[in-house]
Amino acid sequence: MAEPQDSPDAYVGLAAERAERLARERGWPTVRALAPGTIITMEYRVGRLNFEVRDGRVARAWKG
């Protein structure tokens, strides 16, 4: 599976709902929103885009 060719940085600062909708429109099959400090495993999953959401906005975004 090929990942969309957009940068995760493009989502930083967007409202979380808008960022998730945009990511899905751009072809990300899995979008995961996380609260700051959420404990997650570090396995890399192709096609997953992660958002750290603070106060309803994307504070950080990364692949995997």
Side-chain angles (χ1 to χ4, degrees):
M1 170 195 322
E3 292 180 334
Q5 294 302 307
D6 64 339
S7 170
D9 293 338
Y11 298 93
V12 175
L14 297 178
E17 286 183 13
R18 180 166 186 265
E20 182 174 347
R21 186 171 53 252
L22 185 60
R24 292 189 188 285
E25 287 172 4
R26 291 181 176 172
W28 290 99
T30 304
V31 180
R32 179 168 68 167
L34 305 162
T38 299
I39 296 172
I40 58 172
T41 60
M42 296 306 294
E43 85 279 0
Y44 187 89
R45 295 204 39 207
V46 173
R48 180 168 64 190
L49 187 61
N50 299 290
F51 295 145
E52 180 178 292
V53 178
R54 186 177 300 129
D55 298 325
R57 296 212 168 264
V58 177
R60 180 175 160 237
W62 69 99
K63 295 178 182 182

